[in-house]
């Protein structure tokens, strides 16, 4: 019997009992749709979390916090020698290092003022890492500074700040902020120290040489002021402490420890040439006992957690297909019983038992694959409905707005393929026993319809 004839024979027999076959296909489709939609929740939430992580961090960036010492598992701060070690590693694009003024810098120009972070940066390495200016140039003199893009947007009129000065997004309204040009203008940096229980202040005039480029992330804000190493030394000479730390009589600080931290960096970042090189660099740093963090490492942990969750969801969904397989088994068992005379005729004219077995396995496969296809189509519709309806339900029930980028259900191509493979395997197993029974039908008894 040719394969084409076997397919035609299967379709004819399925049409004879179409109601029972349709109901079996429906049960299989429901099981497949349940599996796909259930697992799509795991895929959707993973997609949202990963997107949030990758948008908030630079993928090739590695934060290095310090090197572990043998003294009680503590960590020492990084210095120039460490930076040199990092720069000599293969696949390293840049190593940025920053020192922070250890007090909040108070800046003013005319009738406007702002308190913000003051940073000493190595601009050659910053530029390699992607630092750019929107206007002006890098400072060449010790009294020249570069300000962050958001610095002028937060220069507010002097006096106490009130709620009416800010808009709904928390930004300073235009009428309350500095609107003049800043390039080549002199602003005053006020630094303080404690002496005999009294606060003493000193003003350092600095000229704005450049303004950094707007951060690529919409949520990011750069209000920092980047000063020279020479200006930091002048501030240290005034305060008498490394990095301008403010001390008073109440502080119990070891001055020797402070001097040790004088030439260390507060923020060190290593940038890899590409994302593939990140893990190799992290491994090398860990071998040298450096404490590191990279979004790639975090992504591995998040993906592992979601992989376990998705495997669990797929397992639960598979139970629904197994339940549907009971219907397939019942349908195929009834088909063998009803077609006993046909089986007897085929055996009488010399049909191979393999051919008979293949016919019934083809029929069970038909039911499983058609059900899987219908279930896949339905699951895509349900996935769309889930993403549309759930935010509305959350808003109505809890009065909360869901983030616009969150995805509750996502169906990648791999998920329907997994479902079809599982469904096909289950349907073959369900039809295997009835198919084997069909090969053992006695010809004479079958012809007398006494199976």
């Amino acid at each position: 019997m040719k394969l084409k004839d076997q397919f035609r024979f299967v379709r004819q027999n399925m049409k004879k009992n179409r109601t029972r076959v349709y109901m079996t296909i429906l049960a299989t489709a429901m099981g497949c749709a349940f599996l796909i939609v259930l697992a799509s929740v795991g895929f959707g939430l993973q997609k949202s979390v990963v997107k949030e992580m990758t948008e908030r961090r630079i993928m090739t960036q590695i934060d290095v916090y310090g090197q572990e010492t043998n003294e009680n598992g503590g960590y020492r701060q990084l210095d120039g020698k460490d930076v040199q070690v990092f720069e000599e590693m293969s696949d390293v694009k840049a190593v940025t290092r920053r020192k922070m003024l250890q007090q909040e810098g108070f800046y003013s120009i005319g009738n406007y003022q702002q308190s913000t972070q003051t940073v000493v940066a190595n601009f050659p390495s910053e530029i390699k890492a992607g630092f750019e200016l929107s206007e002006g140039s890098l400072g060449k003199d010790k009294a020249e500074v570069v300000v962050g893009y958001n610095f002028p947007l937060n220069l507010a009129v002097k006096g106490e700040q009130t709620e009416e000065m800010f808009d709904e997004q928390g930004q300073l309204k235009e009428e309350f902020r500095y609107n003049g040009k800043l390039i080549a203008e002199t602003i005053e940096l006020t630094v303080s120290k404690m002496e005999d229980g009294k606060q003493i202040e000193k003003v350092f005039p600095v000229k704005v040489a450049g303004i950094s480029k707007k951060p690529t992330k919409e949520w990011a804000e750069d209000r920092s002021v980047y000063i020279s190493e020479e200006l930091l030394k002048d501030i240290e000479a005034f305060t008498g402490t490394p990095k301008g730390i403010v001390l008073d009589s109440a502080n119990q600080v070891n001055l020797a420890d402070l001097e040790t931290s004088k030439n260390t960096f507060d923020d060190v970042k290593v940038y890899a040439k590409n994302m593939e090189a990140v893990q190799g660099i992290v491994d090398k740093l860990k071998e040298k006992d450096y404490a590191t963090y990279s979004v790639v490492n975090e992504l591995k942990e998040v993906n592992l957690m979601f992989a376990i969750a998705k495997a669990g969801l797929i397992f639960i969904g598979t139970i629904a297909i197994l339940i549907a397989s009971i219907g397939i088994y019942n349908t195929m068992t009834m088909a063998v019983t009803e077609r006993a005379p046909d089986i007897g005729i085929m055996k009488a004219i010399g049909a191979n038992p393999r051919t008979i077995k293949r016919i019934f396995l083809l029929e069970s496969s038909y039911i499983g694959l058609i059900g899987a296809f219908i279930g896949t189509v339905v699951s895509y519709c349900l996935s769309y409905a889930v993403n549309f309806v759930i935010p509305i339900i959350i808003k109505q029930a809890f009065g909360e707005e869901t983030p616009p980028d969150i995805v509750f259900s996502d169906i990648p191509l791999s998920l329907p393929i997994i479902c079809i493979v599982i469904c096909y395997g289950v349907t073959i197993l369900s039809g295997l026993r009835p198919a084997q029974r069909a090969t053992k039908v006695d010809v004479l008894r079958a012809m007398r319809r006494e199976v």
Side-chain angles (χ1 to χ4, degrees):
M1 192 175 188
K2 295 181 180 179
L3 185 62
K4 181 175 66 175
D5 296 328
Q6 293 176 27
F7 276 105
R8 185 171 63 249
F9 182 74
V10 167
R11 287 195 296 269
Q12 289 174 350
N13 286 319
M14 288 176 69
K15 288 178 182 179
K16 290 179 182 178
N17 299 287
R18 63 182 63 186
T19 302
R20 185 171 63 219
V21 171
Y22 287 168
M23 293 304 293
T24 307
I25 290 174
L26 178 62
T28 306
M30 290 174 64
C32 289
F34 178 75
L35 187 155
I36 294 174
V37 173
L38 186 65
S40 74
V41 175
F43 282 94
L45 293 179
Q46 181 184 20
K47 184 177 181 180
S48 299
V49 171
V50 169
K51 183 179 179 182
E52 177 76 8
M53 290 172 61
T54 53
E55 284 183 349
R56 287 187 173 274
R57 299 296 298 248
I58 299 172
M59 296 297 291
T60 56
Q61 177 182 305
I62 305 167
D63 297 335
V64 187
Y65 300 110
Q67 187 179 35
E68 188 175 358
T69 63
N70 295 326
E71 302 171 4
N72 300 322
Y75 287 86
R76 67 169 183 82
Q77 287 185 291
L78 305 175
D79 55 24
K81 292 180 180 179
D82 297 299
V83 171
Q84 186 176 356
V85 170
F86 302 157
E87 290 178 328
E88 290 174 353
M89 288 183 176
S90 59
D91 296 320
V92 170
K93 176 184 176 182
V95 181
T96 62
R97 54 274 198 184
R98 295 181 176 185
K99 294 179 181 179
M100 309 295 183
L101 182 65
Q102 299 301 310
Q103 59 174 284
E104 195 166 37
F106 188 82
Y107 294 87
S108 63
I109 177 172
N111 193 41
Y112 298 88
Q113 64 183 11
Q114 179 182 182
S115 296
T116 190
Q117 186 179 56
T118 304
V119 180
V120 177
N122 180 276
F123 279 116
S125 63
E126 294 281 348
I127 290 170
K128 282 184 181 179
F131 185 89
E132 294 180 286
L133 297 177
S134 61
E135 56 180 306
S137 61
L138 298 174
K140 296 178 181 179
D141 185 78
K142 76 172 185 178
E144 290 184 330
V145 300
V146 174
V147 299
Y149 179 85
N150 301 98
F151 178 84
L153 301 177
N154 289 275
L155 273 171
V157 292
K158 290 182 178 179
E160 186 179 352
Q161 294 186 355
T162 59
E163 289 185 4
E164 65 179 13
M165 297 173 65
F166 299 90
D167 59 20
E168 294 178 355
Q169 285 74 40
Q171 302 296 321
L172 195 63
K173 292 180 180 177
E174 190 173 352
E175 59 266 29
F176 296 106
R177 70 171 183 241
Y178 181 79
N179 292 306
K181 72 180 186 69
L182 268 184
I183 298 296
E185 293 294 323
T186 298
I187 58 177
E188 294 181 341
L189 164 60
T190 302
V191 177
S192 62
K193 69 175 182 178
M194 298 299 295
E195 193 171 286
D196 298 328
K198 295 181 181 179
Q199 181 172 304
I200 300 174
E201 295 181 343
K202 183 176 180 179
V203 175
F204 293 84
V206 293
K207 183 181 289 186
V208 178
I211 300 175
S212 70
K213 195 173 182 180
K214 183 179 180 180
T216 54
K217 314 295 185 185
E218 290 186 6
W219 49 266
E221 192 175 67
D222 184 8
R223 296 195 296 166
S224 301
V225 176
Y226 302 88
I227 65 173
S228 64
E229 183 79 35
E230 291 79 8
L231 180 56
L232 178 63
K233 290 179 180 178
D234 289 347
I235 294 172
E236 289 175 335
F238 165 68
T239 60
T241 56
K243 302 177 186 176
I245 299 174
V246 179
L247 299 177
D248 57 29
S249 57
N251 292 121
Q252 300 295 325
V253 180
N254 190 328
L255 293 179
D257 292 339
L258 289 180
E259 285 300 320
T260 302
S261 67
K262 184 174 183 178
N263 295 316
T264 60
F265 299 106
D266 301 298
D267 183 65
V268 177
K269 290 181 173 62
V270 177
Y271 291 85
K273 291 181 179 178
N274 50 61
M275 196 172 73
E276 290 73 22
V278 171
Q279 189 59 51
I281 295 173
V282 169
D283 292 339
K284 290 178 184 177
L285 291 171
K286 286 184 176 180
E287 287 176 6
K288 299 178 184 293
D289 296 324
Y290 287 104
T292 64
Y293 167 83
S294 75
V295 69
V296 172
N297 286 350
E298 191 173 348
L299 275 175
K300 285 179 66 178
E301 295 176 3
V302 169
N303 287 333
L304 176 61
M305 180 185 70
F306 274 106
I308 295 171
K310 289 185 293 186
L313 293 173
I314 290 173
F315 175 76
I316 294 171
T318 302
I319 295 174
I321 296 180
L322 289 173
I323 294 172
S325 71
I326 297 172
I328 297 174
Y329 178 84
N330 180 62
T331 298
M332 297 311 301
T333 301
M334 294 294 293
V336 171
T337 303
E338 293 170 353
R339 295 173 203 162
D342 296 335
I343 297 171
I345 292 171
M346 285 191 290
K347 294 187 77 173
I349 61 177
N352 193 308
R354 286 185 181 178
T355 302
I356 297 171
K357 183 177 181 180
R358 189 185 303 120
I359 288 172
F360 285 92
L361 288 178
L362 279 174
E363 185 169 342
S364 65
S365 299
Y366 254 108
I367 294 172
L369 292 176
I370 293 172
F373 176 76
I374 295 173
T376 300
V377 173
V378 171
S379 64
Y380 273 100
C381 297
L382 290 174
S383 176
Y384 177 82
V386 164
N387 289 322
F388 179 77
V389 172
I390 286 186
I392 297 174
I393 293 174
I394 292 175
K395 184 177 180 180
Q396 295 295 327
F398 305 104
E400 297 287 340
E401 291 281 353
T402 56
D405 295 331
I406 192 168
V407 178
F408 291 97
S409 176
D410 179 64
I411 304 177
L413 181 61
S414 59
L415 188 52
I417 292 175
I418 291 171
C419 177
I420 290 171
V421 169
I422 292 173
C423 187
Y424 182 75
V426 169
T427 53
I428 289 294
L429 291 175
S430 300
L432 189 59
R433 175 62 180 165
Q436 289 175 337
R437 182 186 170 195
T439 62
K440 297 176 182 178
V441 170
D442 183 81
V443 177
L444 296 177
R445 294 182 64 189
M447 298 298 288
R448 292 198 301 269
R449 295 177 179 268
E450 294 179 1
V451 179

